[in-house]
Amino acid sequence: MPKAELHVHLEGTLEAELKFELAARNNVDLPYVDVESMRASYVFHDLPSFLTIFYEGSFVLHHEEDFRDLVYAYLRKVASQNVIYAEMFFDPQQHTDRGVSFSTMIEGLTRGRIEAERDFGIRSQLIMCFVRERSAESAMAVFEMALPYRHLIVGLGLDSDELDNPPTKFAEIFRRGREAGFRLTMHCDVDQKNTHEHIRQAIEDIGVERIDHGANLLDRPELIEMARERGLFFTVCPYANEMMRPGENQSIARGMLDLGLKLTLNSDDPAYMEGNYINENMLMVHDLAGFGPDDFITVTRNAFDAAWIDDELRQELHRKLDAYAMASV
Ligand code: ADE
Ligand code: ZN
């Protein structure tokens, strides 16, 4: 099925093989002898333990070419799964704090996108995320660095450790971001402290168009109503949810679909999640939550509607899905 991915962290697509290649190229010592032992170290049980491993991985990224290779490898992989459009998160603070310049990063990421479109026909855009456990000043500094590259970044997001880092901590930056023409989304991760208040703030105080994850909205009728009224989209990641709530049979995806909320399905950090890219995430809700062909068409239509693209491209994406749906009845 032609499809879109809207919730994937580029740093979370860094496969162990590429990490070794970049480490060799950049003379970075890795504490693992081979890809198997590196992959075996990817053990986590909650958001903070995941983030520690995830941030260590990005230390091999230094030069424009490295960022280019990262994007290109992800887009090549998902083009093989018939992803025809992707919006990809990147966390500049992970890299600028290590002395990588904003221009090195954005130019490499952009070159990877352009070359992947040339070689595989896949269209893509970038969403810049702020690392929420860092200060609002640090986020503002990186926001200022991004302004000259506004045309290369479609939206702003918020990720990383949610504990005591509510959306309103970044209200001023998101207000300025909206004024500058960025589209807005935010993570509200599963089962976090104060999650209902974080979801409410993201919707009412920040005015996001999407929520990344957002599972706990299902606990509160007033939040469900708010999401319906505003036509909010949800970027849900089945495998990541399975980690947070093992054995729950994908109640999050199922619950959102049954309520008619605008659910989309995505992969989050596939290189750290046993190589589960978007197809494997879709198979997971097929197997565990009984999603069938019509449901996958619904979530894919939602993703095309949620995408931050012009009407011409949106119609083109929908036409490809129409053709697929016609051919498969
Ligand atoms: N950074 C990478 N993946 C993330 C996730 N699922 N939640 C928050 N921050 C992240
Ligand atoms: Zn995420």
Side-chain angles (χ1 to χ4, degrees), residues 7-9 47 50 89 129 158-160 187 189 212-213 235 237 240 267-269 273:
H7 182 164
V8 62
H9 300 262
L47 187 54
F50 164 74
F89 295 131
C129 281
L158 184 66
D159 65 5
S160 208
H187 278 58
D189 259 284
D212 304 308
H213 300 294
T235 66
C237 306
S267 73
D268 215 0
D269 299 285
M273 297 178 176

Side-chain angles (χ1 to χ4, degrees), residues 181-192:
F182 290 102
R183 312 296 291 267
L184 307 181
T185 187
M186 282 187 174
H187 278 58
C188 292
D189 259 284
V190 182
D191 298 339
Q192 300 294 298

Side-chain angles (χ1 to χ4, degrees), residues 193-210:
K193 183 182 160 198
N194 294 336
T195 180
H196 302 108
E197 172 59 9
H198 289 189
I199 294 170
R200 190 206 62 73
Q201 288 181 8
I203 301 173
E204 284 195 319
D205 300 341
I206 308 294
V208 296
E209 297 167 64
R210 301 184 198 160

Side-chain angles (χ1 to χ4, degrees), residues 239-269:
Y239 188 87
N241 292 344
E242 201 61 26
M243 274 173 17
M244 303 299 267
R245 286 190 190 167
E248 280 263 314
N249 297 325
Q250 295 299 327
S251 60
I252 299 163
R254 181 83 249 165
M256 287 188 181
L257 185 75
D258 289 351
L259 284 167
L261 293 170
K262 294 184 179 177
L263 169 72
T264 71
L265 296 171
N266 308 272
S267 73
D268 215 0
D269 299 285

Side-chain angles (χ1 to χ4, degrees), residues 130-143:
F130 303 109
V131 175
R132 66 199 302 163
E133 65 268 32
R134 307 216 184 159
S135 66
E137 291 71 31
S138 162
M140 189 60 96
V142 91
F143 174 76

